[in-house]
Amino acid sequence: MNSKTEVMLVPFHVAAVGEEEAQAAADVIRSGWLTMGQKTFEFERRFAEYLGVRHAIAVVSCTAALHLALEAFGIGRGDEVLVPTTTFTASGEVVCYLGARPVLVDVLPGSMNIDPQDAARKITARTKAIIPVHLAGLPCELDKIRELASAHQLRVLEDAAHALPASYRGTPIGAISDATAFSFYATKTLTTGEGGMITTNDDKLAERVRIMRLHGIERDAWKRYTSDGSWFYQVLDAGYKYNMTDIQAAIGLVQLHKCDDLSAARRAIAERYTTAFAKLSCLETPEEFADRTTSWHLYILRLREDKLSIDRDRFITELKRRGIGTSVHFIPLHLHPFYKTKFDYKPGDLPIAEAQYHRALSLPIFPTMSGDAINAVIAAVLEIATSFRRE
Ligand SMILES: Cc1ncc(COP(=O)(O)O)c(C=O)c1O
């Protein structure tokens, strides 16, 4: 190892998976039925029960879930969909898949979630849907979004890639809007390696999504290789290959069982961080709200740069030197070359998101973090903040 290479004491993320998940995956492999089948349907049933929603449809990723939901809404060429600029490109790219235009919306300075007032300003005759993204797992102001949606006949698709489990005014995220998309990517609060889920209370929407996730083939196409299946099937539309596999679902079932405990472990880490960092005025801890619970997928710390002699980038470098992994969520979409060139966005267009982006960093927060690791992160952040604090 190069002597200059930092030893990572606390990585940004480690997945909370172990022997139980390995055993569940091995059992599926030994069963001989690897792709979508009974395990996937059991995972869907249990997931729907957990959230208290009528339908849960398992797919390969949250990106696929978002795409299928928009397709089922009937979004197409010429339509506009409102998307916050502070998100991962998946929330915007799916709009482009359908030939529609993602209209980027600024965020609230506190939560960094979509600003309903800015969304209202950007509605045109072509606006068909809105995608509130629950950043870091903190639910958006869903009452205001619902009001806006009903006033303008918009469909609401929640991007809950970060928000399992989370709730808004007592109702779990996933059981509120027209459709909700979850991610089971490796870093997420529930993981199947890669994976996703669409939840909805709308029977027709669920039916369309079930057909389109498997090549547009009529229902129960998956059964064609089972003993009670038939070789005959009919293609109803040009669908996608987005189905989950039973190997992923078996891992997901184990993770779902642990979901509340994993979430409590994240919350305990967040509480330790907030208590420690609230003492320094150059650090801004994440906002919390009495009417919502967050999943604490991310812990986004913001710097008050007027009170520090270093900027966010240098703060990250200093943490790295001390062996602490970090990340940044997110580079606003309107600053990426694709959104700039295709949709004419430029720096300054969405100023609140930009200002927050420049002072935000995400700290390690994962359920298996040891007490020593949590202490190491706190000590490093406090040491850097104290050393570079402006008097
Ligand atoms: C806000 C948001 N939406 C969507 C996605 C896409 O999730 P997936 O990787 O499961 O497609 C991500 C992934 O990190 C995300 O952060």
Side-chain angles (χ1 to χ4, degrees):
M1 187 190 283
N2 180 325
S3 62
K4 282 199 183 130
T5 308
E6 298 85 6
V7 177
M8 201 48 88
L9 280 179
V10 188
F12 177 64
H13 182 75
V14 180
V17 288
E19 273 314 306
E20 275 182 283
E21 285 83 355
Q23 187 62 51
D27 288 348
V28 170
I29 292 167
R30 288 194 194 99
S31 79
W33 184 277
L34 303 189
T35 187
M36 183 167 77
Q38 290 310 329
K39 278 283 170 205
T40 306
F41 304 131
E42 187 185 344
F43 184 37
E44 292 178 340
R45 263 193 318 275
R46 294 268 173 86
F47 197 87
E49 270 166 31
Y50 181 66
L51 297 180
V53 64
R54 282 171 70 82
H55 303 279
I57 303 144
V59 289
V60 284
S61 65
C62 181
T63 309
L66 292 165
H67 182 195
L68 287 169
L70 288 183
E71 195 279 337
F73 286 173
I75 302 296
R77 205 158 291 283
D79 292 338
E80 293 178 357
V81 177
L82 301 168
V83 179
T85 192
T86 302
T87 187
F88 186 57
T89 188
S91 324
E93 76 194 11
V94 291
V95 177
C96 306
Y97 290 179
L98 294 159
R101 180 187 180 95
V103 174
L104 301 180
V105 177
D106 214 340
V107 299
L108 296 164
S111 63
M112 291 191 277
N113 277 337
I114 192 164
D115 175 356
Q117 281 188 4
D118 194 47
R121 281 193 284 275
K122 288 177 174 157
I123 292 174
T124 71
R126 291 182 293 278
T127 313
K128 294 286 157 39
I130 180 166
I131 305 184
V133 178
H134 307 307
L135 187 73
L138 177 74
C140 296
E141 293 186 347
L142 288 175
D143 278 357
K144 289 190 185 155
I145 288 162
R146 192 183 306 127
E147 265 171 44
L148 197 66
S150 48
H152 299 273
Q153 284 89 48
L154 310 182
R155 306 300 298 271
V156 181
L157 167 57
E158 292 175 47
D159 180 335
H162 302 181
L164 182 78
S167 66
Y168 180 77
R169 305 211 159 151
T171 308
I173 294 300
I176 298 174
S177 297
D178 294 315
T180 304
F182 292 93
S183 173
F184 308 138
Y185 176 65
T187 61
K188 296 300 192 288
T189 52
L190 181 159
T191 187
T192 58
E194 299 279 359
M197 191 79 84
I198 301 155
T199 60
T200 182
N201 282 312
D202 179 334
D203 297 347
K204 270 179 75 179
L205 188 123
E207 182 66 17
R208 176 73 183 169
V209 167
R210 285 204 174 93
I211 287 170
M212 293 303 278
R213 79 164 155 188
L214 194 64
H215 299 294
I217 298 176
E218 61 194 338
R219 267 195 96 167
D220 293 341
W222 66 276
K223 271 192 187 165
R224 65 195 188 279
Y225 298 115
T226 65
S227 53
D228 58 339
S230 153
W231 59 267
F232 184 76
Y233 60 86
Q234 293 198 88
V235 176
L236 307 179
D237 210 328
Y240 306 95
K241 187 69 189 354
Y242 278 169
N243 61 285
M244 184 174 263
T245 69
D246 271 13
I247 304 173
Q248 291 166 302
I251 298 169
L253 278 162
V254 176
Q255 289 264 297
L256 187 61
H257 191 64
K258 300 176 176 172
C259 193
D260 288 339
D261 290 342
L262 296 176
S263 175
R266 285 176 183 271
R267 191 173 324 115
I269 300 166
E271 279 168 12
R272 296 256 345 254
Y273 282 169
T274 294
T275 307
F277 304 149
K279 292 179 196 137
L280 287 183
S281 64
C282 57
L283 302 177
E284 191 177 313
T285 56
E287 270 197 1
E288 295 181 55
F289 297 81
D291 64 351
R292 353 189 171 163
T293 59
T294 167
S295 65
W296 288 114
H297 166 54
L298 301 171
Y299 188 95
I300 304 180
L301 183 69
R302 276 175 284 175
L303 307 178
R304 293 206 176 89
E305 287 178 308
D306 55 325
K307 298 194 173 185
L308 284 166
S309 60
I310 55 170
D311 63 9
R312 186 271 318 271
D313 295 0
R314 174 81 190 279
F315 206 99
I316 287 177
T317 308
E318 291 295 330
L319 280 170
K320 196 170 174 209
R321 278 188 47 215
R322 289 163 177 78
I324 310 297
T326 55
S327 188
V328 172
H329 297 88
F330 285 97
I331 304 166
L333 294 186
H334 71 280
L335 301 182
H336 287 289
F338 170 71
Y339 294 90
K340 283 205 252 182
T341 46
K342 176 101 180 163
F343 303 110
D344 279 340
Y345 285 108
K346 55 185 184 314
D349 282 350
L350 298 139
I352 297 176
E354 260 174 74
Q356 305 315 310
Y357 155 62
H358 287 299
R359 62 195 198 92
L361 65 143
S362 302
L363 296 176
I365 183 164
F366 52 90
T368 56
M369 257 179 111
S370 67
D372 284 351
I374 300 166
N375 290 338
V377 174
I378 292 174
V381 169
L382 293 182
E383 191 205 329
I384 299 162
T386 312
S387 318
F388 295 98
R389 173 163 63 165
R390 277 191 220 274
E391 293 314 314

